[in-house]
Amino acid sequence: MCGIVAGVSSRNIVPILVEGLKRLEYRGYDSCGVAVHQDGVLRRTRSTARVAELQEQIVADHVQSGTGIAHTRWATHGAPAVHNAHPHFSGPQSPETATSPADADRAARIALVHNGIIENHDELRDELKAKGFRFQSQTDTEVIAHLVNHLYDGDLFDAVQRAVVRLKGAYAIAVFCRDEPHRVIGARAGSPLVLGVGEGENFLASDAMALAGVTDQVVYLEEGDVVDVQLGKHWINGLQADGSLKTVQREVRTVHAHTGAAELGPYRHYMQKEIFEQPRAIGDTLDGINGISPELFGDGAYRAFKDVDQVLILACGTSYYAGSVARYWLESIAKIPTSIEVASEYRYRDSVPDPRTLVVTISQSGETADTLSALKHARSMGMTNTLTICNVHTSAMVRECKFNFITRAGAEIGVASTKAFTTQLVGLFVLTLALAQVRGHLDDATEATHLKALRHLPAGVQAVLALEPQIMAWSEEFATKENALFLGRGLHYPIALEGALKLKEISYIHAEAYPAGELKHGPLVRARGGELFVFADADSRIESDTGLHVIRMPEHYGVLSPILHVVTLQLLAYHTACARGTDVDKPRNLAKSVTVE
């Protein structure tokens, strides 16, 4: 959620800031803005429209500078409105005494953008109001801007360090000051922030992708870091065990951001492109796996797997449905008791910890705040064998877990997850086989059979994608409906849940899922006038009839069939949304990466 881009340079970086925001649009947002240091004052342009419209305003207003910050906002405190949009300003002249908003902006001293949620903002707001600060917005972010301004005494780095110790909650911030040109300060706790190191220029961003084409030298800031970014130099103060900040060195990594991910090519939408990238993504994820071994998940995994008696899966949203499929695999193939928890709920109930549990987290971004918090909660109860299935090898989730399996889906721009989901399933199936091997439930012949099936997946998905014309015909009928019920049995029930989620996410048709066997306890469909649309396995005997439409899958895929069946539901949701004319890649009220609790 939300996006930050900031930097200092001797050239005009406004185009870089805007391009960075465009690269972060996939996360979802409802307002955007840019602030710069120009002609000795702070200037900002904000909008509740798309970044493209913001760019037009910037050009019309002749905004340019070598120092600036930019932001896309997902509203949490205060409605999606220009006065709540970032960047937020703080200055000695209050809005009440200014003759116009432009006068208030010209008087501003501090400009700030923020991702996250400040839990003690009400307390700080009351304190700052008592000191004479006046608030223009309903956001928790403006509190930070005024707090930094209050603590400022000629050194912005010092003021920010003194301010962040007062904050409770999650934040990634970028802030600059009218009185210190060519200097931006960043800080993070609970929300991601990276430093991009260039030649004579430096940048901050919430995602390295925002800096693709600008620099490939990236520092992943750690929890509690405060960074001082200037022309040609930077330094970082890291949080120590005693709560103090001390100068630290962080590794500069070469990161090849996925610049090609932002190119649509022949496709209408990123979601369509990413659906059709699944054969490659699955093939890449399986690349180099010539046999099953616990060490695919990291050194020491064999011993850890040998010591566990059960598996606990923690995930949110689509990743939760991937984990729900894996539960069937783990219990039927590896014969290991498995439970799955919605990560956002796990910390808020009493549970029974067992140190002989393998805690598995699933996250596309590796920055999902609820899943990270659930992971830390599990560790705090003594469950230290932790493993993540994740698409970003540099993410917080990978750093926090003892073991990992990195999927190779590549960047996923569409908000509705597709290739990230199917590659998660691949990773979870490999984990199932590794645990089965350690527990003595995977002989050589069975391993060879499963590996052959895994290697066939890219071709199998390609065959399913060839069903697109038939699915498009169905979508024309779906587009006229307002309710849909998805049915699945056994390991296909989570796929029904995922299919319903995809349809309602992007087409806005009401959809829900039911275990097929529960129909006798609830809504009987065909007998009550409902119309049935069935994706049937190749060897099934279901035939089309009045009120019964059947598309036959190219093959029967056995235990891996959820990976193939979900592709048909992705295509159905996509083409139904297209038929209804919705904004497929940026569905309303949805964010790609939820980095706040």
Side-chain angles (χ1 to χ4, degrees):
M1 294 175 75
C2 306
I4 289 175
V5 192
V8 292
S9 176
S10 56
R11 58 173 165 158
N12 175 26
I13 63 166
V14 173
I16 293 173
L17 301 180
V18 172
E19 183 60 32
L21 293 187
K22 288 180 178 179
R23 292 184 181 279
L24 298 177
E25 282 189 288
Y26 73 96
R27 290 170 171 243
Y29 66 102
D30 44 42
S31 63
C32 50
V34 170
V36 300
H37 191 291
Q38 185 172 357
D39 300 327
V41 298
L42 304 187
R43 296 186 62 188
R44 65 179 167 183
T45 302
R46 298 181 291 177
S47 173
T48 55
R50 293 295 184 197
V51 173
E53 283 78 11
L54 176 72
Q55 185 175 23
E56 292 176 2
Q57 289 184 45
I58 287 170
V59 172
D61 294 341
H62 305 288
V63 177
Q64 54 185 338
S65 176
T67 303
I69 56 179
H71 190 264
T72 52
R73 174 181 185 248
W74 182 263
T76 55
H77 294 73
V82 171
H83 69 277
N84 287 324
H86 301 212
H88 286 285
F89 281 3
S90 178
Q93 188 175 22
S94 71
E96 285 81 356
T97 59
T99 57
S100 70
D103 288 338
D105 279 7
R106 279 191 289 271
R109 183 165 69 175
I110 299 295
L112 181 142
V113 292
H114 162 230
N115 289 352
I117 292 177
I118 303 304
E119 296 171 3
N120 61 334
H121 68 96
D122 282 333
E123 170 193 330
L124 292 171
R125 186 187 304 269
D126 291 342
E127 176 186 327
L128 290 161
K129 281 184 175 180
K131 296 181 184 299
F133 286 95
R134 298 293 180 263
F135 286 77
Q136 300 183 55
S137 75
Q138 289 80 49
T139 67
D140 52 343
T141 300
E142 193 179 2
V143 169
I144 314 174
H146 289 320
L147 181 61
V148 171
N149 194 10
H150 169 61
L151 297 171
Y152 183 74
D153 189 24
D155 185 344
L156 186 61
F157 193 43
D158 176 68
V160 171
Q161 290 180 96
R162 291 163 61 199
V164 295
V165 299
R166 300 285 313 279
L167 304 179
K168 296 178 182 177
Y171 59 83
I173 62 173
V175 53
F176 71 95
C177 178
R178 177 194 63 200
D179 303 332
E180 298 183 68
H182 301 303
R183 190 182 201 189
V184 174
I185 308 300
R188 65 146 300 196
S191 287
L193 191 68
V194 303
L195 164 68
V197 181
E199 294 185 10
E201 57 185 12
N202 291 298
F203 301 89
L204 296 172
S206 49
D207 189 321
M209 180 187 286
L211 304 178
V214 178
T215 179
D216 61 0
Q217 300 299 296
V218 172
V219 176
Y220 289 88
L221 299 173
E222 297 188 9
E223 191 78 356
D225 280 357
V226 183
V227 56
D228 190 342
V229 174
Q230 299 188 37
L231 286 172
K233 58 184 177 181
H234 70 270
W235 56 89
I236 301 168
N237 280 2
L239 186 65
Q240 305 301 301
D242 61 1
S244 64
L245 287 163
K246 180 181 178 182
T247 301
V248 294
Q249 297 295 320
R250 300 284 186 227
E251 179 186 359
V252 179
R253 305 185 187 190
T254 300
V255 175
H256 299 293
H258 305 281
T259 53
E263 299 171 3
L264 268 175
Y267 299 101
R268 289 178 62 188
H269 299 94
Y270 288 111
M271 183 178 180
Q272 183 187 30
K273 177 187 180 212
E274 287 153 11
I275 289 171
F276 278 82
E277 285 177 339
Q278 287 176 115
R280 178 202 55 76
I282 291 171
D284 289 349
T285 298
L286 290 169
D287 187 42
I289 299 179
N290 300 312
I292 298 301
S293 165
E295 264 51 45
L296 290 170
F297 299 87
D299 294 340
Y302 176 84
R303 181 176 298 176
F305 288 4
K306 195 75 174 172
D307 289 342
V308 300
D309 294 330
Q310 61 182 354
V311 173
L312 169 63
I313 299 173
L314 303 171
C316 296
T318 286
S319 295
Y320 175 82
Y321 297 148
S324 298
V325 173
R327 180 183 180 184
Y328 286 92
W329 288 337
L330 286 161
E331 293 198 337
S332 66
I333 298 173
K335 312 297 182 187
I336 186 166
T338 301
S339 59
I340 179 165
E341 297 267 359
V342 176
S344 59
E345 293 290 325
Y346 177 61
R347 290 189 300 148
Y348 299 102
R349 71 172 188 85
D350 293 330
S351 58
V352 181
D354 182 345
R356 293 179 66 85
T357 298
L358 178 65
V359 179
V360 177
T361 64
I362 311 171
S363 172
Q364 183 272 329
S365 67
E367 305 290 349
T368 308
D370 284 318
T371 309
L372 283 167
S373 295
L375 169 65
K376 292 173 184 177
H377 179 64
R379 278 207 315 247
S380 73
M381 294 191 296
M383 295 184 285
T384 57
N385 280 323
T386 58
L387 182 151
T388 189
I389 308 291
C390 185
N391 192 43
V392 183
H393 75 280
T394 54
S395 66
M397 202 77 71
V398 173
R399 295 196 299 270
E400 292 284 343
C401 286
K402 189 180 294 185
F403 307 108
N404 65 73
F405 184 91
I406 306 302
T407 59
R408 298 175 185 172
E412 192 176 64
I413 305 297
V415 168
S417 181
T418 53
K419 61 179 180 175
F421 178 75
T422 49
T423 53
Q424 285 172 352
L425 288 175
V426 169
L428 289 162
F429 192 76
V430 173
L431 174 63
T432 297
L433 298 182
L435 284 166
Q437 184 186 74
V438 169
R439 295 170 65 83
H441 299 299
L442 186 71
D443 57 37
D444 290 346
T446 306
E447 177 183 337
T449 298
H450 285 311
L451 283 173
K452 182 179 179 181
L454 281 171
R455 294 191 185 105
H456 177 66
L457 275 176
V461 172
Q462 199 68 54
V464 172
L465 291 171
L467 298 173
E468 186 180 34
Q470 298 175 60
I471 296 172
M472 287 176 69
W474 276 14
S475 71
E476 294 297 328
E477 292 193 56
F478 260 68
T480 66
K481 311 298 184 184
E482 293 302 328
N483 300 281
L485 188 63
F486 286 69
L487 307 174
R489 169 160 278 174
L491 49 70
H492 287 93
Y493 172 51
I495 297 304
L497 289 164
E498 173 65 8
L501 177 65
K502 286 293 163 283
L503 186 70
K504 61 189 173 186
E505 276 183 332
I506 62 171
S507 75
Y508 314 140
I509 293 173
H510 165 250
E512 56 182 290
Y514 236 77
E518 285 293 288
L519 278 182
K520 53 185 166 290
H521 302 293
L524 292 169
V525 179
R526 198 176 182 194
R528 300 295 184 268
E531 210 169 349
L532 292 175
F533 295 80
V534 180
F535 290 106
D537 282 318
D539 55 357
S540 70
R541 298 181 180 179
I542 302 174
E543 300 294 340
S544 296
D545 198 352
T546 303
L548 173 60
H549 312 275
V550 178
I551 291 179
R552 205 165 298 284
M553 300 287 283
E555 302 176 50
H556 188 290
Y557 302 95
V559 292
L560 291 176
S561 62
I563 299 176
L564 285 299
H565 274 268
V566 79
V567 176
T568 64
L569 301 183
Q570 293 168 356
L571 286 169
L572 181 62
Y574 171 73
H575 286 292
T576 301
C578 288
R580 288 170 70 96
T582 63
D583 191 344
V584 172
D585 287 329
K586 303 181 185 71
R588 64 192 183 205
N589 301 325
L590 286 181
K592 180 69 175 174
S593 177
V594 185
T595 56
V596 296
E597 295 179 36

